[in-house]
Each structure stands twice: as structure tokens, then as C-alpha cells.
Amino acid sequence: KKQLIKIGDRVDLYLGTGPVYRTMLEDITNNKNLLVSVPIYKGMPVSFAKNQELQMYFYRTNGRYRANVKMVGYQHHDQLTFLELQVLSEPQKQQRRDSFRINEELKVVMSYIDNDLVFDRLNSSEDDREVAYSINISVTGIAVKTKKAYSVGDKVFMRIYLMWPDAEAEPLEIIGEIRQVDMINPLQKVYNIGIMFLYTSKEVSGNLSKYVMAREQKRLKQKRLVEDD
């Protein structure tokens, strides 16, 4: 959208799984493609395949926006190399909560992410991982009871065990940001934390949406049965 994204804006690129690569919008071509700096990951430039599709996130004062983009090639200018990205969709503002939440206790394995430049789900050791349990969940976020003292703005990598559509299903892997911290038991140092999902693939979002809807329909059916009795 006109003037929505600007040269100099911070940009995050996500493949749908794995790390998030942070870069910057350096220029806009005559055909409206975006030129961004080549991201650096673990000290090395990140390589992208031609025609590879990615999710691009950028930020305005009123929130975060997402657009689908495609890597169309590299451009070289004065010994600098840029990724050229074709925008495939209109930027959409990410809503803080665009779906209702259901009360659900799910196993959640959480790891604190201590590198704000690159979110690497493989950085944490076994000692850094915490097994916690959810209070409620929606397509856009989750509330978790934890004994670790997180701060608002912290990033976490989560494995959420929906066990859906069957018990053999793999846990969902999601990066989230702490948006709310409430101490509920000062003596035992127990906290309720609200986490907004930052980066999810279409598959993960679809599974979450179907799960939440199925659980809500089951709840309403049980409620009607009770009321009929």
C-alpha cells in the first residue's frame, strides 16, 4: 500500500519454519519490487532460492503488518548485494486477537530466546527449556502458567502439544512474544503470562483455527445437553 512501507524500515523474513531473519528495506525498484539487505545468520549471509516464497513482516506505530513475497533474484550495487523481493499480497495488519479463546490445559515446552536479531529455535539447551501448561488458547495467542519470571517483550520458542487431530500429531512449533505478566502466587512464584504468536505458517494457523473451532463446538454441544436436561 502506498507509503505504508518505507525505505529504512526494519523487515523480518520468515520461511514458515525455523529462524526469523531480520533485515532492512534499502530501496524500491521502478516495478515496485523491494530491495532488502542480505540477512546475516550465525555470521554468514543467508541464501534464498530463486522464486522461494516468504512471509515478510514490518512495523508501523499502529502495529505489525504482514505480506507474502517472492525472492526473484539478487542485485549488486557498489560492492553491496541486495535481495529483490516481489510483493505477492497486500500488507495486512496483524490483529492482537482476531479469534475467541478457549480454556484448555495443554502441555507447552518453552525456551527463552535471548538473541533479538535472529530468533533461533535451536539455541536453547535442555536446561533452558520449561514444561508449562496453558490456561487458554486462540489462533493468535496463548496464556500459560509458568514458574519462570519472564518480562513483557521477551521472545519465546514454544512446542504446543495439541495432540490433534490425533494423539500421534506433532506439536506445533511457534515463536511468541510475552505481552502480559501477572504473578498469581508470590510465595511459590507462579505467573500467568499472555503470549502473542509472532510467526506462524499457514499450516500451523489452519490447524489452530480448526482445533479451536472443534473444541468450541464440543463445548456448546455439551452445554446444550446440560440445558436440555
Side-chain angles (χ1 to χ4, degrees):
K1 293 183 178 180
K2 188 176 181 180
Q3 300 298 324
L4 190 55
I5 186 169
K6 300 178 181 178
I7 295 171
D9 281 349
R10 186 187 80 189
V11 172
D12 291 338
L13 300 177
Y14 185 52
L15 297 174
T17 185
V20 174
Y21 302 109
R22 181 154 295 173
T23 181
M24 180 180 292
L25 177 61
E26 301 287 356
D27 203 354
I28 301 175
T29 67
N30 291 334
N31 59 354
K32 306 303 182 184
N33 285 349
L34 309 179
L35 297 183
V36 302
S37 305
V38 176
I40 302 298
Y41 180 61
K42 293 185 176 180
M44 297 294 293
V46 180
S47 296
F48 297 94
K50 188 173 182 179
N51 295 323
Q52 185 171 26
E53 295 189 7
L54 309 95
Q55 299 168 22
M56 181 186 74
Y57 296 83
F58 62 95
Y59 303 82
R60 299 264 63 85
T61 55
N62 66 338
R64 187 178 66 153
Y65 288 79
R66 168 183 167 175
N68 296 324
V69 298
K70 180 172 68 174
M71 196 311 216
V72 297
Y74 291 94
Q75 285 203 20
H76 305 278
H77 298 281
D78 299 327
Q79 299 183 336
L80 297 176
T81 301
F82 304 100
L83 300 178
E84 183 174 356
L85 304 175
Q86 178 186 357
V87 180
L88 303 178
S89 67
E90 289 286 340
Q92 299 294 325
K93 184 178 179 184
Q94 302 292 285
Q95 301 298 324
R96 288 192 61 185
R97 182 179 298 180
D98 56 10
S99 64
F100 56 82
R101 293 180 175 245
I102 58 169
N103 296 326
E104 196 77 11
E105 185 176 276
L106 302 168
K107 178 182 174 182
V108 183
V109 178
M110 300 172 55
S111 304
Y112 172 71
I113 299 172
D114 60 3
N115 186 345
D116 188 47
L117 294 179
V118 179
F119 304 148
D120 183 357
R121 66 180 184 174
L122 302 178
N123 272 344
S124 62
S125 66
E126 291 291 340
D127 294 338
D128 295 328
R129 297 172 187 168
E130 176 192 14
V131 177
Y133 289 89
S134 67
I135 303 166
N136 58 55
I137 188 170
S138 77
V139 177
T140 56
I142 190 171
V144 175
K145 183 178 292 186
T146 174
K147 290 189 175 181
K148 284 194 175 182
Y150 294 96
S151 300
V152 172
D154 284 349
K155 308 296 190 305
V156 291
F157 171 72
M158 296 173 286
R159 287 186 173 92
I160 303 175
Y161 289 77
L162 288 185
M163 312 302 286
W164 187 90
D166 54 60
E168 303 301 320
E170 292 292 322
L172 302 183
E173 297 186 343
I174 300 178
I175 294 171
E177 180 179 298
I178 310 297
R179 287 303 183 93
Q180 183 176 347
V181 178
D182 296 313
M183 179 177 283
I184 59 174
N185 190 322
L187 295 179
Q188 297 182 1
K189 294 184 178 180
V190 177
Y191 305 84
N192 283 351
I193 59 173
I195 305 171
M196 184 182 74
F197 299 146
L198 285 182
Y199 307 98
T200 56
S201 65
K202 290 182 179 179
E203 180 181 2
V204 168
S205 295
N207 285 339
L208 270 173
S209 180
K210 292 175 184 177
Y211 174 80
V212 169
M213 185 60 65
R215 298 298 295 175
E216 178 65 9
Q217 289 175 346
K218 181 178 179 180
R219 185 190 69 81
L220 292 175
K221 182 178 180 180
Q222 291 174 338
K223 180 180 179 182
R224 287 194 295 268
L225 290 174
V226 171
E227 290 174 348
D228 290 343
D229 289 342

